[in-house]
Amino acid sequence: MAAGTLAPSPSDSLQELPYAPQNSPPAGGVPPAIDLVLGATAGCLACFLTNPLEVVKTRLQLQGELQAPGTYPRPYRGVLRAAVAVCRADGLQGLQKGLAAGLLYQGLMNGVRFYCYSCAEDAGWTRYPGGTVAAGAVAGAVGAIVGSPAYLVKTHLQAQTVSAMAVGHQHNHESISGAFKSIYQQHGVVGLWRGVTGAVPRVTVGSAVQLATFASAKDWVCERQWFRKGSWAAVLAGGMVSSVAVAVAMTPFDVISTRLYNQPVDADGTGKLYRGFLDCILQISNKEGLLGLYKGIGAVYFRLGPHTVLSLFFWDKLRSMVQH
């Protein structure tokens, strides 16, 4: 979530599969260990196509940090104009800033998420009321913790640009390896997990809401005969409809996560702007207004739908290849 969000097994045109009883073969005929690899691969393929929106989203969320609306310059205005601004400042390749770190994050986070969710399915936990949402939320939280260092570096790299277009703190890393090395040398292993308190709620909420809305949204567009049931057009439309709910629920957590990851820190690793998750919420609300928590919602929305569908599409195809 990625941010992309976890969804039920995509087999059978992404219809939710019957829950397997305990001690039955793995859901979809694929062991959890294989799902780890397939989920990571699918997330990386989707990330490559949606990373430009992630760059735009990061810039929009850092713009006007802790400043009252109307009191700061806005080099980034809306999704399309922000994308053009990125290209002008950093060239066309600027839209793929932080791609290596993003791929690492998606590989770690999605691999762990799909693995945990597959284990929950095999154990029969998802057959209980609310089990699907709970399993998705827990799997998302575990994935967020594992992938947090990569998300930290990704945010730093995507925020970096020329001084005239800079928003948020500029960490000035030269490469992904240099970023990891610099953070580790200055703040140790703990420093690599700075900002994780914002990432866990972000992915947990995103996973839970997406699981609760994706299948119903897909059925809704088919019931209105907008698209043929089982077609990928219906899946894409369902993903975009579902993404409205996910974007509204997740964007505040996404903004908080971006701010916590990107803020400058003291020598001891303490944030200079925010003391933690709750302090970040309060400061943004007080200084930027409640709408400050929804900065970049357009980019979040336009990224979530395609990323969700692409991740599931690639996962489904990879699963089919393994099974046959």
Side-chain angles (χ1 to χ4, degrees):
M1 222 346 82
T5 48
L6 186 64
S9 299
S11 303
D12 194 21
S13 299
L14 297 189
Q15 293 293 330
E16 196 166 6
L17 295 175
Y19 300 127
Q22 197 160 358
N23 299 324
S24 68
V30 178
I34 299 298
D35 259 337
L36 186 152
V37 177
L38 300 185
T41 304
C44 288
L45 291 171
C47 174
F48 182 80
L49 297 174
T50 61
N51 190 65
L53 285 169
E54 188 73 12
V55 174
V56 169
K57 181 211 72 170
T58 298
R59 301 282 179 89
L60 288 170
Q61 290 177 339
L62 292 173
Q63 184 170 249
E65 186 170 16
L66 298 183
Q67 299 179 63
T71 63
Y72 55 86
R74 294 177 60 197
Y76 307 102
R77 295 172 178 267
V79 177
L80 293 178
R81 293 172 67 181
V84 172
V86 171
C87 291
R88 287 177 176 171
D90 306 306
L92 190 61
Q93 67 272 20
L95 289 173
Q96 289 290 17
K97 279 200 168 187
L99 177 61
L103 292 172
L104 178 60
Y105 169 71
Q106 289 293 335
L108 291 170
M109 187 269 292
N110 272 312
V112 171
R113 278 201 305 159
F114 279 90
Y115 175 79
C116 292
Y117 189 79
S118 185
C119 287
E121 279 190 320
D122 289 353
W125 298 342
T126 54
R127 66 186 174 187
Y128 299 106
T132 301
V133 175
V138 173
V142 175
I145 293 171
V146 173
S148 186
Y151 197 95
L152 172 68
V153 171
K154 176 192 75 69
T155 303
H156 288 187
L157 294 174
Q158 290 178 337
Q160 290 181 186
T161 186
V162 296
S163 58
M165 301 292 287
V167 290
H169 183 71
Q170 300 291 289
H171 293 270
N172 299 317
H173 301 303
E174 295 184 1
S175 64
I176 178 176
S177 59
F180 277 114
K181 182 178 179 181
S182 175
I183 295 169
Y184 175 75
Q185 288 178 340
Q186 293 180 44
H187 308 294
V189 174
V190 175
L192 292 171
W193 268 268
R194 179 170 52 81
V196 70
T197 54
V200 172
R202 169 185 173 273
V203 180
T204 300
V205 170
S207 290
V209 174
Q210 193 275 334
L211 276 167
T213 61
F214 183 78
S216 58
K218 178 163 57 65
D219 291 340
W220 183 77
V221 298
C222 291
E223 287 171 3
R224 278 149 186 77
Q225 299 183 341
W226 293 354
F227 301 101
R228 180 176 56 82
K229 189 175 181 66
S231 69
W232 277 102
V235 175
L236 177 58
M240 298 307 291
V241 172
S242 170
S243 294
V244 174
V246 180
V248 170
M250 197 175 78
T251 296
F253 297 96
D254 205 44
V255 172
I256 293 165
S257 180
T258 297
R259 298 286 182 87
L260 290 175
Y261 275 123
N262 194 67
Q263 70 170 328
V265 295
D266 293 327
D268 62 356
T270 303
K272 291 184 178 180
L273 299 179
Y274 313 104
R275 293 191 301 272
F277 183 81
L278 292 178
D279 182 58
C280 187
I281 295 177
L282 293 174
Q283 287 209 57
I284 293 174
S285 300
N286 291 335
K287 297 179 181 179
E288 302 175 50
L290 290 177
L291 290 180
L293 292 169
Y294 281 91
K295 285 184 174 179
I297 188 173
V300 171
Y301 170 72
F302 285 113
R303 177 187 173 277
L304 280 173
H307 186 92
T308 297
V309 174
L310 286 169
S311 296
L312 291 168
F313 174 78
F314 291 133
W315 189 33
D316 187 44
K317 294 304 179 185
L318 291 168
R319 268 188 157 199
S320 297
M321 291 170 62
V322 170
Q323 290 169 343
H324 295 95

